């Protein structure tokens, strides 16, 4: 099921959301009655799509489908998307976003930071082919994220392991995949992942999922370790971490989650879990040699993808403002352009 087959609807969804200012859920502390807290005032580039991180990753989605499929029969009309991106990704707008990040060092840590790096990577690849200037405009915000990461990592004694936005493994994996980090910060990310996770074993897979997860704590961790361990060491680590994969015992991580109410904003997170699991399971399978474990992971990835895709284009803002991004990762799980 290639991404190109969904290029036009994904572009339409992303464009509608990044230009939609309300409803909005700003993660902003208002300090006085005089403060202008309108979303587009606080975030002139990333004011839409309900919240800042969703706006950033829906911009990522739009650039991704434009870069890969713009001007093809799958996505022939690119003018509206390019116009919106040119309006949003300006030097002035992104200087304001960089200043906000620097002034609020825990804002969107680390999930939104990682998506901004992923967006910068997509823009760099798009600019190289199309000659646009989004990469230069994003440079101050990317530099702000690098400084914030470099300051935070030494203090991050413990990882956040739950299946929501602060999950450490998912965000740092996305940051590594972007290729946007300087060598020193990239090395610090890898060292922190190893410090956190290298000795983990017997993950409590039977605890998953929690009722509001859109990420799997265990699979996000395994997918992070895939990036920082050589293949042979990773296979041995995974065997210790999820021994049920090798033994053939039932593993809840391979079972498609039950989503009882798609319109509930929190229960609906489980729709994202089906797609983020699909991406992680496929990536883990690709990192292993042929055999029963790889086959189990591939089969589970296909089942999760089939269950999650029908929810992406429901016309319900509860899921429309974010879910297509995770569908894109599931269809093409390597974030690096």
């Amino acid at each position: 099921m290639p991404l190109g087959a969904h290029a036009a609807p994904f572009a339409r969804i992303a464009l509608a959301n990044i230009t939609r200012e309300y409803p909005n859920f700003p993660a902003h502390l208002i300090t006085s009655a005089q403060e202008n807290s309108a979303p587009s005032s606080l975030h002139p580039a990333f004011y839409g799509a309900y919240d800042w991180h969703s706006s950033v990753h829906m911009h990522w989605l739009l650039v991704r489908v434009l870069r890969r499929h713009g001007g093809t029969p799958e996505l022939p009309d690119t003018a509206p998307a390019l116009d919106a991106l040119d309006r949003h990704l300006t030097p002035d707008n992104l200087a304001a976003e960089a200043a906000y990040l620097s002034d609020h060092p825990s804002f969107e840590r680390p999930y939104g930071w990682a998506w901004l790096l992923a967006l910068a990577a997509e823009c760099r690849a798009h600019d190289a082919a199309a000659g646009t200037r989004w990469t230069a405009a994003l440079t101050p915000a990317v530099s702000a994220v690098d400084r914030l990461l470099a300051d935070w990592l030494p203090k991050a004694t413990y990882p956040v392991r739950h299946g929501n936005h602060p999950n450490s493994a998912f965000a740092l994996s996305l940051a590594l995949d972007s290729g946007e980090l300087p060598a020193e910060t990239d090395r610090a990310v890898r060292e922190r992942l190893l410090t956190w996770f290298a000795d983990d074993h017997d993950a409590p897979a039977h605890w998953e999922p929690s009722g509001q997860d859109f990420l799997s704590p265990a699979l996000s961790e395994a997918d992070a370790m895939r990036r920082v361990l050589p293949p042979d060491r990773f296979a041995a680590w995974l065997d210790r971490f999820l021994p049920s994969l090798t033994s053939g015992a039932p593993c809840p991580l391979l079972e498609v989650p039950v989503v009882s109410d798609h319109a509930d904003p929190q229960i609906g997170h489980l729709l994202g879990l089906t797609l983020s699991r699909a991406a992680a399971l496929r990536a883990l399978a690709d990192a292993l040699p042929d055999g029963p474990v790889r086959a189990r992971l591939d089969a589970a990835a296909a089942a999760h993808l089939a269950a999650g895709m029908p929810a992406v284009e429901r016309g319900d803002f509860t899921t429309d403002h974010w879910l297509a991004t995770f569908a894109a990762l599931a269809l093409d799980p390597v974030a690096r352009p």
Side-chain angles (χ1 to χ4, degrees):
M1 190 186 299
L3 177 60
H6 302 275
F10 282 10
R12 183 179 66 250
I13 290 169
L15 180 60
N17 279 284
I18 66 171
T19 56
R20 180 175 179 170
E21 187 166 3
Y22 298 101
N24 201 290
F25 190 72
H28 176 76
L29 177 65
I30 299 173
T31 56
S32 75
Q34 290 72 43
E35 185 174 352
N36 184 354
S37 58
S40 56
S41 176
L42 294 172
H43 299 295
F46 305 125
Y47 61 83
Y50 186 68
D51 48 33
W52 192 87
H53 55 259
S54 298
S55 182
V56 173
H57 67 62
M58 291 301 265
H59 278 78
W60 170 89
L61 175 63
L62 190 56
V63 177
R64 193 170 184 84
V65 296
L66 279 175
R67 181 173 73 83
R68 297 194 172 198
H69 304 288
T72 69
E74 291 89 357
L75 187 62
D77 184 10
T78 61
L82 289 168
D83 181 61
L85 290 165
D86 282 339
R87 291 197 314 271
H88 288 191
L89 303 182
T90 68
D92 286 346
N93 287 351
L94 289 160
E97 298 288 0
Y100 190 95
L101 289 167
S102 296
D103 291 343
H104 302 81
S106 63
F107 175 72
E108 293 285 358
R109 184 179 72 195
Y111 181 81
W113 297 356
W115 275 115
L116 190 136
L117 295 175
L119 170 61
E122 278 299 328
C123 287
R124 185 179 302 279
H126 184 278
D127 287 1
T132 52
R133 300 177 182 176
W134 305 329
T135 299
L138 275 159
T139 297
V142 171
S143 297
V145 168
D146 174 53
R147 292 192 299 272
L148 291 165
L149 264 174
D151 182 62
W152 170 65
L153 284 170
K155 301 182 289 188
T157 307
Y158 308 107
V160 175
R161 297 178 182 268
H162 65 64
N164 271 271
H165 306 89
N167 182 282
S168 304
F170 177 83
L172 293 192
S173 295
L174 200 60
L176 289 177
D177 280 348
S178 74
E180 291 294 310
L181 294 174
E184 184 176 357
T185 311
D186 184 280
R187 182 168 56 253
V189 168
R190 293 174 185 276
E191 290 173 353
R192 183 54 60 188
L193 288 170
L194 289 167
T195 298
W196 284 336
F197 302 134
D199 295 331
D200 281 3
H201 56 88
D202 298 307
H206 58 286
W207 289 0
E208 296 191 34
S210 293
Q212 300 177 177
D213 283 353
F214 69 91
L215 299 169
S216 162
L219 293 178
S220 294
E221 178 176 338
D223 204 24
M225 294 302 285
R226 170 182 67 82
R227 292 166 167 85
V228 298
L229 289 175
D232 56 338
R233 288 185 58 197
F234 172 69
W237 180 92
L238 186 64
D239 188 37
R240 294 192 304 274
F241 186 64
L242 292 171
S244 60
L245 294 180
T246 301
S247 70
C251 180
L253 302 176
L254 307 183
E255 300 170 5
V256 175
V258 174
V259 187
S260 61
D261 185 352
H262 288 201
D264 183 285
Q266 299 303 323
I267 296 173
H269 270 181
L270 294 166
L271 295 167
L273 179 64
T274 63
L275 294 168
S276 68
R277 276 189 180 182
L281 289 163
R282 179 177 156 194
L284 293 173
D286 288 347
L288 296 174
D290 289 338
V293 175
R294 179 169 181 156
R296 289 186 79 189
L297 294 172
D298 274 331
H304 279 76
L305 183 62
M309 286 301 297
V312 174
E313 300 174 45
R314 294 176 56 244
D316 180 349
F317 185 64
T318 302
T319 51
D320 280 1
H321 80 272
W322 68 284
L323 194 58
T325 303
F326 283 85
L329 287 180
L331 292 165
D332 185 13
V334 178
R336 189 185 294 275

